[in-house]
Amino acid sequence: MQRKAYVPGVAVLLAALLAGCTGSSSDDGATDDSKPGGSSSTAPAAQPGRYRTLPEACAAVDHGTLDSLLPGIKQIADEEQRETAYEGTATLTYDTDRRVGCRWKVESTNATDHLFVDFERVVSYDSVSDDSKASGLYAGKETEADLPEPSASASSESEGSEESPDASSSASPSDSASGSASASATPSSTSSASPSASATPTSLQPRTLDGLGDEAYLNDTLSSAGSTAQQRTVTVVFRTSNVIVTIEYDEQPAVTGEVPDSKEMQDRARNLAAKLADTLDG
């Protein structure tokens, strides 16, 4: 009979313990739900770019293209030295998924040629997409290049046809504004483009390019490389999604007074750019 007297007490104690646990769980749940920064307040993730990796820069340019850009390679008699010249020198990088580059420099009997190729994969850690951030970086490079305004003669030459007699009367306001902007170029832009413009035909002057990546431009400068030697540097920069590719190709003739051919160098650089674009897409 005494044992039965203790049973209700035990039941009451267990009920109290269970009620306490239930109350604690409820309190914790209320606290978790009220925490700031929950799923409802999380900003949407930025759109990633198309590319997650980069090609090996020194292997991205084939031997045939290097033969064209660097004629001195085929003049190297020693086979081992020639293979070393083909390999190029990789630029220092700490993350090959974000940036890679390669340099080649070869001397020939006629000139010294230098080639530099750089791949940069842009990753955005902000609310903007990788492509948008890459486009902004590309725009900065193009602005820094200070490309001259396209002239009317350059436009007609690139189209390969002469302007009709009434073309000027039917020109749009934007065309007129572009023409006036070109005619009234600021002293700074004129002076920066003068070394190239003085020796480069109008149709080959620095300009934006169509049909290469999402956006692209070409720069062509002629500078003095000591005494009376002239060095020409052709630069092609293009963006494809979140990758920006830069090509720098320069040549300095061995004979004093000679000037590197602008069209030939531009054609070579643009051909390489097209192949690198295909390499990224492939």
Side-chain angles (χ1 to χ4, degrees):
M1 297 295 295
Q2 291 181 349
R3 251 189 256 175
K4 289 182 180 181
Y6 286 100
V7 172
V10 173
V12 171
L13 178 60
L14 290 174
L17 290 173
L18 289 173
C21 292
T22 304
S24 175
S25 175
S26 176
D27 292 342
D28 290 344
T31 303
D32 289 341
D33 291 342
S34 63
K35 284 182 180 180
S39 58
S40 59
S41 61
T42 303
Q47 186 69 22
R50 184 194 311 171
Y51 303 103
R52 302 296 180 89
T53 60
L54 291 172
E56 185 182 347
C58 290
V61 187
D62 60 76
H63 284 199
T65 302
L66 288 173
D67 287 340
S68 174
L69 291 157
L70 312 169
I73 285 186
K74 293 185 293 184
Q75 298 178 9
I76 300 176
D78 185 86
E79 183 177 351
E80 185 175 343
Q81 292 181 359
R82 187 166 61 253
E83 286 303 316
T84 300
Y86 277 124
E87 291 174 0
T89 303
T91 56
L92 180 63
T93 182
Y94 298 98
D95 188 348
T96 55
D97 284 336
R98 293 291 300 275
R99 191 159 200 167
V100 292
C102 193
R103 298 180 182 276
W104 295 263
K105 183 177 180 181
V106 180
E107 296 181 1
S108 68
T109 55
N110 298 321
T112 298
D113 294 282
H114 173 264
L115 173 66
F116 170 61
V117 173
D118 178 81
F119 295 87
E120 179 181 5
R121 186 175 70 92
V122 180
V123 178
S124 174
Y125 295 101
D126 302 321
S127 58
V128 299
S129 67
D130 291 351
D131 283 23
S132 296
K133 185 169 184 179
S135 183
L137 293 175
Y138 167 86
K141 291 177 179 289
E142 184 176 315
T143 300
E144 186 177 353
D146 195 18
L147 306 182
E149 291 289 339
S151 62
S153 58
S155 300
S156 61
E157 287 178 16
S158 62
E159 293 170 1
S161 61
E162 295 183 0
E163 193 175 51
S164 60
D166 58 346
S168 59
S169 61
S170 61
S172 64
S174 60
D175 292 337
S176 301
S178 175
S180 61
S182 176
S184 58
T186 60
S188 59
S189 63
T190 304
S191 60
S192 64
S194 58
S196 173
S198 60
T200 306
T202 305
S203 61
L204 297 176
Q205 286 185 13
R207 62 201 182 277
T208 57
L209 300 174
D210 296 326
L212 179 60
D214 296 320
E215 47 191 343
Y217 73 85
L218 179 148
N219 203 1
D220 187 330
T221 59
L222 192 64
S223 59
S224 176
S227 64
T228 57
Q230 298 290 308
Q231 176 176 296
R232 183 177 296 283
T233 301
V234 174
T235 304
V236 176
V237 179
F238 70 91
R239 178 186 71 84
T240 298
S241 185
N242 61 319
V243 171
I244 299 175
V245 181
T246 301
I247 298 169
E248 292 179 2
Y249 175 43
D250 65 62
E251 180 172 288
Q252 180 181 336
V255 179
T256 300
E258 286 192 2
V259 178
D261 185 85
S262 180
K263 184 180 186 307
E264 185 176 31
M265 291 186 64
Q266 288 192 24
D267 287 346
R268 291 173 179 174
R270 292 185 64 178
N271 178 62
L272 172 59
K275 290 184 177 182
L276 294 182
D278 291 341
T279 297
L280 287 172
D281 293 337

